[in-house]
Amino acid sequence: MISQYLPSAKFATIAASLLLAGGLVATANYVSSPRAPGPTIAAQSGAPDQNWENTLEQVQLEAGISAPQPAPQSVVNELLSAAESPNITASIGRSLLIRLSSAGVEGLGNDIPTQEALIAEAAAKVEVSMSASYSSTDLIKVTQTPESLHEYGNRLISTLVGRSAATTGGTLFAFGEALDYRSAEKLGPVRAAGDAYAALAQDIAAIPVPETLAPLHLQIANNLAAMSAGAKEMLSVLEDPLRGLGGLSVFQSKADETGRLLTSIAKIMREGGILFNNDEPGFAWQTFVASP
């Protein structure tokens, strides 16, 4: 089973980094909120004006206060465009400050819906976009027979273990070490994994696959390609933490999904009566399913 782990110290580091978007909102809210005390308005005797808007305007005029006017949306958009940066962390921090400042002028910013909307927008930028690298036409499909299933089972396992740098646990451990020590050198295994998973995806796509297993096989190849892209994003974690953590999220989720796909294939093998000797690579399929 494809496993994943990070020592507890790494979990603490990652959890703290994931709160960065929320922290940026709080910081931007503090910076953009007015804190100067307003003028003291003496109580006036007599009947109150029934039109509160007129009363408010009169009080503001007497106190020399003019209500802030929201900036035109075109100006806000220009500022947001100027705030964009290849560094996702910096870009999100700037855009949060601009949006929260604009919301503050409109009397918003401290309310939960506004802050949740800002954080959701920030989280969307962190997500690493992954498009499929392989399509059904890239696969070599063969007729499904007991013999083709047996051959496929051996080929798939031997291919999966053929790239020593493509290891989930080792990649995550190196990533955590790099965070702990703030060391780019410790990201070496992550860099190697990015290349290894890309090569592994190519190797998998080239294996002849029985037709009924083609959809599962295609998803495995695309997951491995996505893990390669995720690992390459993880390399930026020291200078761009949110980008690196976005890559980590993709890497872990695709590793989990691949484990489930392999378990499904193992069950198909078992239910089809496909057996492997203990000296065959396919003997490893038994580790993916519990004994009946």
Side-chain angles (χ1 to χ4, degrees):
M1 182 69 69
I2 292 181
S3 63
Q4 55 178 297
Y5 62 91
L6 281 177
S8 57
K10 281 75 177 180
F11 280 122
T13 303
I14 289 173
S17 298
L18 287 174
L19 292 174
L20 182 55
L24 288 170
V25 169
T27 301
N29 183 51
Y30 176 80
V31 171
S32 60
S33 298
R35 291 180 293 280
T40 302
I41 306 298
Q44 298 180 0
S45 59
D49 191 331
Q50 296 302 311
N51 188 328
W52 65 269
E53 290 181 327
N54 290 340
T55 302
L56 178 60
E57 288 179 5
Q58 184 63 31
V59 170
Q60 289 176 335
L61 288 173
E62 292 177 0
I65 301 173
S66 59
Q69 297 298 315
Q73 188 58 45
S74 59
V75 174
V76 174
N77 291 340
E78 286 180 11
L79 289 172
L80 289 172
S81 178
E84 288 297 325
S85 163
N87 187 303
I88 292 179
T89 306
S91 179
I92 288 177
R94 295 168 185 167
S95 63
L96 282 175
L97 178 59
I98 293 168
R99 290 194 181 281
L100 195 53
S101 298
S102 178
V105 172
E106 299 177 24
L108 304 173
N110 289 322
D111 60 305
I112 292 176
T114 299
Q115 295 195 6
E116 286 183 345
L118 291 172
I119 292 175
E121 183 179 336
K125 290 186 178 182
V126 177
E127 292 180 2
V128 179
S129 176
M130 296 293 167
S131 57
S133 299
Y134 300 95
S135 67
S136 179
T137 57
D138 295 320
L139 301 183
I140 304 170
K141 300 173 187 175
V142 298
T143 303
Q144 181 163 314
T145 65
E147 291 74 23
S148 66
L149 280 171
H150 189 273
E151 174 65 17
Y152 171 77
N154 278 325
R155 286 279 302 273
L156 183 56
I157 291 295
S158 62
T159 301
L160 285 170
V161 300
R163 300 277 180 179
S164 59
T167 165
T168 307
T171 303
L172 294 176
F173 186 84
F175 183 77
E177 287 258 287
L179 283 175
D180 273 356
Y181 295 99
R182 304 292 300 171
S183 169
E185 292 182 4
K186 291 187 178 293
L187 287 170
V190 180
R191 182 174 292 101
D195 295 334
Y197 276 107
L200 182 56
Q202 262 188 327
D203 295 342
I204 294 294
I207 298 175
V209 55
E211 290 177 336
T212 57
L213 294 180
L216 298 177
H217 187 81
L218 177 62
Q219 191 58 51
I220 289 173
N222 279 322
N223 282 356
L224 294 171
M227 290 175 70
S228 168
K232 291 174 182 178
E233 292 291 312
M234 289 162 66
L235 293 173
S236 64
V237 69
L238 298 181
E239 65 271 13
D240 189 351
L242 292 181
R243 181 184 292 277
L245 291 169
L248 173 65
S249 176
V250 169
F251 185 86
Q252 289 182 305
S253 64
K254 295 303 180 181
D256 286 344
E257 186 178 328
T258 301
R260 292 190 291 271
L261 291 168
L262 291 173
T263 298
S264 296
I265 292 176
K267 289 178 179 177
I268 293 172
M269 294 280 187
R270 185 181 65 180
E271 293 167 1
I274 308 301
L275 303 176
F276 299 90
N277 296 326
N278 58 10
D279 60 345
E280 292 182 291
F283 189 72
W285 285 113
Q286 66 179 350
T287 64
F288 287 88
V289 290
S291 299

